[in-house]
Amino acid sequence: MSSIPELTYQELASVILKRAGITVNVHRLCHRLTTFADIGVDSLGMLAVVRELEHRRRVDLGAMAAQDCRTPRQLMSRLHDAQNGGV
Amino acid sequence: MTAAAVITGVGTVAPGGVGTREFWQAACAGRNLLARITRFDPEDNPVTVAGEVRFDAGALIENRYLVQTDRATQFGLAAADFAMADAMFEPPALNPFAAGVITTSCVGGAESGQRGLGKLWRYGPHHVSPYQSFAPCHAATTGQVSVRDTMKGPCGVLVTDEAGGLDALAHARRAIQRGARIMIAGAAEAPLCPYALAPQYSARMLSESADPDTAYLPFSHGASGYVPAEGAAMFVVESAADAAERGSRPRAVIAGHGATFSAVAAYDPSGEGLAMACRKAIAAAGCQSQDIDVVFADATAVPAADRAEVTVIKSLVGMKVPVTAPKAGYGRAYASASALDAATAVLSLEHGIIPPIPALAEPIDELDFVIGAPRRAELRTALVLARGYGGMNSALILRRPGH
């Protein structure tokens, strides 16, 4: 499977802005060491972001997605897996 | 001798203006700011007139707080900002554990609650925002101010309807006397949505007049209930010693407070509970009723409650003390109504000006009502009255510093 294109990170950035109210640079967002805590998304903000992604992509990321995915990269990977047939 | 608690900052968000200076100018102008409700289509509602705030939330509230808060909390956050700027206080405090927040609200985040319920029933549980877990709560404003401004000390929430705006200041004073160094105290309300108003219709306390000019006429023979309003007032409260050390200017001393609970009717028609609250406040302030220079009335425009209040004022201070109710111009904003009255009282003491009741053609009594135009007066001591639906009575005495 090919790596997730940057366009999706762009979309993640817009979801984070819409649901957590935080503006984040896409380059920072897709850096492998960046965590959601680094950019200021707290646990509740994570729930809101995950819920929005689930609605947009019509997938179930699993009950623990907001806790498990500490980095945008982990969340994107979880989304990728879900879209390609189950978590 | 306990430490004197002083108000060093005042912040207001009201139909007359967002910002304390704008609010004060509007109150003094004595214009009627009531109008047909625009926040929702009131066509099928018995209440169609209200006092609405023109509020640019995006310009005043940081985005991350905007997405997770009700309009009431946004008012509270903005008013807290204004109050802190007024007090020249920039959070965090030196010791965040000695800084606290106490807010009050009657309606809480009802508009958020309404939105969440709509999504729940229309689309299902997966469409309800996680922020729904706290945005509609009465505690949300205290919580968000505490989080945003790193106030980790004594925090609390009061729900006593309109009396709350005064009770919160009394609570802040107690916290200061128990060792807190700085308190943010006040009220925030955004009740102009069907979900908040509908449960109130059966009590028939709200004015059902569609004419903004005559909808809210407290102490008048034409009184037919009050017009609801939205808004917030927040204060910075600290000890006189701390204020002096910080170099901030004490605006008013929280001299005394009294509260009672009559629980006999919507508003105690005898006025006994309110009278007792006044006596307690006067005793706590260590003054006499003849020291009171101005009364800010609760002014429900519910005829029995107006008569009770007139009786209490007359028996307490007689006929010669000016009585005002600027809220007749912008509406009764539940807990924020009394907090806005307290803000007006602070500014009155400071400027020596009493803002008026905009119009009072046929007064029910010969009390010295301030009508139509602001009045200049030498003011040292102000009495603010408030009653909550169900029997809460509260009286607050504010004094000009150095008197």
Side-chain angles (χ1 to χ4, degrees):
Chain A
M1 216 45 83
S2 61
S3 64
I4 302 160
E6 193 167 330
L7 180 73
T8 319
Y9 277 100
Q10 185 75 52
E11 188 179 353
L12 179 60
S14 74
V15 169
I16 290 170
L17 177 60
K18 183 178 173 196
R19 292 301 171 193
I22 290 165
T23 305
V24 58
N25 177 294
V26 177
H27 294 295
R28 187 171 180 214
L29 193 63
C30 62
H31 191 280
R32 69 188 170 84
L33 293 179
T34 297
T35 67
F36 284 109
D38 290 339
I39 57 178
V41 182
D42 62 13
S43 56
L44 211 63
M46 278 305 293
L47 286 171
V49 167
V50 166
R51 173 63 50 85
E52 176 77 18
L53 289 174
E54 288 180 331
H55 285 164
R56 287 190 180 204
R57 297 303 169 97
R58 301 184 187 283
V59 291
D60 181 357
L61 295 177
M64 301 303 285
Q67 281 110 302
D68 292 348
C69 300
R70 292 182 57 253
T71 68
R73 191 162 281 230
Q74 287 168 347
L75 181 59
M76 289 307 237
S77 162
R78 175 81 64 117
L79 188 64
H80 180 82
D81 292 347
Q83 281 182 289
N84 289 284
V87 178
Chain B
M1 186 71 185
T2 48
V6 295
I7 292 169
T8 53
V10 180
T12 56
V13 170
V18 174
T20 311
R21 178 177 306 180
E22 292 80 358
F23 168 70
W24 172 245
Q25 285 169 352
C28 287
R31 278 194 306 274
N32 187 326
L33 302 164
L34 305 174
R36 185 174 168 85
I37 292 171
T38 64
R39 289 203 52 77
F40 65 94
D41 179 4
E43 193 53 40
D44 297 326
N45 285 255
V47 172
T48 56
V49 169
E52 290 184 348
V53 174
R54 288 163 193 263
F55 187 71
D56 184 357
L60 292 166
I61 309 295
E62 208 183 320
N63 221 347
R64 68 175 66 197
Y65 297 102
L66 206 54
V67 298
Q68 51 176 275
T69 47
D70 185 82
R71 183 170 166 90
T73 296
Q74 292 165 11
F75 287 163
L77 285 164
D81 272 337
F82 294 141
M84 289 187 288
D86 193 31
M88 296 181 297
F89 169 69
E90 206 169 312
L94 277 179
N95 174 7
F97 292 99
V101 186
I102 174 86
T103 71
T104 177
S105 183
C106 171
V107 170
E111 199 174 84
S112 297
Q114 174 181 296
R115 205 175 302 129
L117 281 171
K119 284 188 176 156
L120 175 64
W121 296 116
R122 202 172 308 135
Y123 304 116
H126 290 295
H127 290 265
V128 176
S129 156
Y131 301 129
Q132 198 68 26
S133 61
F134 59 79
C137 297
H138 286 78
T141 302
T142 288
Q144 295 288 9
V145 173
S146 162
V147 167
R148 186 191 66 175
D149 299 326
T150 325
M151 321 268 310
K152 302 182 179 183
C155 289
V157 183
L158 292 169
V159 183
T160 56
D161 197 10
E162 172 156 321
L166 307 185
D167 297 343
L169 282 169
H171 186 99
R173 177 185 187 232
R174 263 196 305 277
I176 294 295
Q177 289 169 344
R178 287 173 184 166
R181 303 297 294 271
I182 192 158
M183 293 291 293
I184 306 296
E189 300 275 19
L192 303 181
C193 64
Y195 182 55
L197 293 175
Q200 302 175 55
Y201 293 148
S202 60
R204 310 303 288 262
M205 298 289 168
L206 297 177
S207 172
E208 298 181 8
S209 165
D211 175 11
D213 289 333
T214 57
Y216 183 25
L217 296 172
F219 306 118
S220 163
H221 282 295
S224 60
Y226 59 88
V227 165
E230 55 181 0
M234 301 285 262
F235 302 86
V236 174
V237 179
E238 49 195 322
S239 75
D242 278 350
E245 196 180 309
R246 267 195 337 108
S248 63
R249 183 167 53 111
R251 314 285 295 279
V253 180
I254 304 174
H257 172 259
T260 62
F261 184 55
S262 306
V264 290
Y267 300 104
D268 173 6
S270 75
E272 276 178 12
L274 184 62
M276 179 54 85
C278 291
R279 285 197 290 274
K280 287 168 74 162
I282 287 168
C287 67
Q288 311 286 324
S289 57
Q290 55 264 34
D291 296 328
I292 290 163
D293 300 312
V294 60
V295 178
F296 289 80
D298 181 32
T300 61
V302 173
D306 274 2
R307 277 194 299 275
E309 187 171 27
V310 162
T311 305
V312 169
I313 293 170
K314 215 187 315 191
S315 66
L316 192 73
V317 297
M319 308 285 286
K320 297 227 164 78
V321 174
V323 177
T324 192
K327 61 165 84 77
Y330 59 84
R332 195 162 180 267
Y334 302 85
S336 292
S338 60
L340 287 166
D341 278 346
T344 313
V346 170
L347 295 160
S348 282
L349 292 170
E350 194 167 271
H351 295 283
I353 295 173
I354 305 170
I357 301 170
L360 183 45
E362 297 175 73
I364 56 167
D365 198 273
E366 298 300 303
L367 282 176
D368 183 14
F369 291 114
V370 180
I371 304 165
R375 191 188 295 179
R376 287 202 170 277
E378 177 70 17
L379 303 175
R380 289 171 302 272
T381 307
L383 172 65
V384 188
L385 304 179
R387 286 168 297 181
Y389 179 74
M392 291 73 101
N393 308 287
S394 196
L396 181 76
I397 292 183
L398 296 171
R399 201 177 282 143
R400 209 167 81 201
H403 288 269

